[in-house]
Amino acid sequence: MHCGPPDMVCETKIVAAEDHEALPGAKKDALLAAAGAMWPPLAAAPGPAAAPAAPPPAPVPQPHGDAGGVGPPEGRGVYIREIRAAEQEAARRIFYDGIMERIPNTAFRGLRQHPRTQLLYVLLAALCFALTRSLLLTCLVPAGLLGLRYYYSRKVVLAYLDCALHTDMADIEQYYMKPPGSCFWVAVLDGNVVGIVAARAHAADNTVELLRMSVDSRFRGKGIAKALGRKVLEFALVHNYSAVVLGTTAVKVAAHKLYESLGFRHMGSSDRYVMPGMTLSLAERLFFQVRYHRYRLQLREE
């Protein structure tokens, strides 16, 4: 089974300043002012875990790739910073849990995106009734088809996870923190990692890809995903990339609304996307369909 490079994204108060310290003062101020104009400050989330209205003091600068960084005192909200070596297992857990949510979403919710498949299933039920004249057997056909969709969705998603956990997610520091133009951040709340996001540069077209974004399900709805996404946009702006791109097979409407709220523009979708781990067998073609969406946020013209 071939495992290609990661290209499936998951479902995303910027405090860290280490990305800016290498820039001259005037240029840094101008870039950060531009970022503030493009992405206004997030509204404070309700509840005790909400981010403070004003950002805490900036941490001690760390060079890119250093797993260090100083966070705010406990209880002072969500803090976005580069991942540390000891946090890789927590990052993998959040990634794993987020991708596993795709199984029922793809199997059941995703069916609404494929009218031809719906028609095929209706025809199969009608054929069953025509052959058996049994309402009971005919009613069992949709249940059986949905069961097969769940089985093959689980099979493909687990194969995809196996690829990811044996490539970039196996050694996050080596894959994201050492190569130039790449980085991996975590969202930390009360000392615990509650969200992740990565960036990977594409030198050929001077863009940055946002990927591996996921938030622990217990901490969603607090603006953490948007803060993670904005961290990648700020990274791209500071490093003079022309655009940020992403691809996603997410079915939930909330994921797409998030990308749009960050300023991404939907560039199209495809039903012929082949996920890493797919075998393209006839059974997979019948019972597993996924729609791949492409998004782009243009920062400047080349």
Side-chain angles (χ1 to χ4, degrees), residues 189-200:
L189 177 64
D190 296 332
N192 299 310
V193 174
V194 298
I196 60 172
V197 72
R200 184 180 61 185

Side-chain angles (χ1 to χ4, degrees), residues 101-225:
E101 292 178 10
R102 300 290 181 90
I103 295 174
N105 288 335
T106 302
F108 306 133
R109 290 186 182 183
L111 184 58
R112 294 179 295 182
Q113 298 179 345
H114 303 279
R116 291 183 180 179
T117 302
Q118 294 178 44
L119 178 60
L120 174 62
Y121 292 175
V122 170
L123 291 176
L124 289 174
L127 179 62
C128 176
F129 180 75
L131 294 175
T132 66
R133 297 296 176 178
S134 169
L135 287 175
L136 177 61
L137 289 176
T138 302
C139 291
L140 290 176
V141 169
L145 293 172
L146 290 177
L148 287 169
R149 285 186 64 86
Y150 183 86
Y151 171 80
Y152 281 99
S153 293
R154 180 178 176 83
K155 177 177 178 291
V156 172
V157 168
L158 288 177
Y160 167 77
L161 271 170
D162 185 65
C163 283
L165 294 173
H166 285 84
T167 53
D168 64 304
M169 295 301 290
D171 192 342
I172 295 171
E173 183 175 1
Q174 179 67 32
Y175 198 94
Y176 289 107
M177 304 308 293
K178 292 184 178 180
S182 298
C183 197
F184 197 104
W185 297 273
V186 292
V188 180
L189 177 64
D190 296 332
N192 299 310
V193 174
V194 298
I196 60 172
V197 72
R200 184 180 61 185
H202 298 282
D205 57 359
N206 195 34
T207 62
V208 167
E209 183 180 6
L210 182 155
L211 66 168
R212 301 309 192 209
M213 182 159 63
S214 188
V215 174
D216 189 314
S217 59
R218 297 169 296 176
F219 300 95
R220 292 176 188 166
K222 302 179 182 296
I224 296 173

Side-chain angles (χ1 to χ4, degrees), residues 39-79:
W39 311 297
L42 297 174
V60 176
Q62 297 288 339
H64 175 71
D66 190 337
V70 179
E74 296 293 322
R76 291 194 59 182
V78 178
Y79 179 67

Side-chain angles (χ1 to χ4, degrees), residues 5-12 95 98-99 101-102 105-106 110 113-114 160 200 209-214 244-260 262 264-276 288-296:
D7 49 9
M8 177 181 176
V9 182
C10 48
E11 344 249 288
T12 166
F95 170 73
I99 296 298
E101 292 178 10
R102 300 290 181 90
N105 288 335
T106 302
Q113 298 179 345
H114 303 279
Y160 167 77
R200 184 180 61 185
E209 183 180 6
L210 182 155
L211 66 168
R212 301 309 192 209
M213 182 159 63
S214 188
V244 182
V245 299
L246 66 87
T248 181
T249 58
V251 174
K252 288 184 178 179
V253 174
H256 298 275
K257 287 185 176 180
L258 169 64
Y259 304 138
E260 292 169 0
L262 286 167
F264 283 91
R265 180 180 178 185
H266 189 256
M267 304 301 293
S269 60
S270 172
D271 291 332
R272 298 183 178 180
Y273 174 68
V274 179
M275 284 177 54
F288 178 82
Q289 296 87 30
V290 66
R291 178 165 293 176
Y292 184 74
H293 299 267
R294 294 178 292 107
Y295 284 88
R296 184 182 182 95

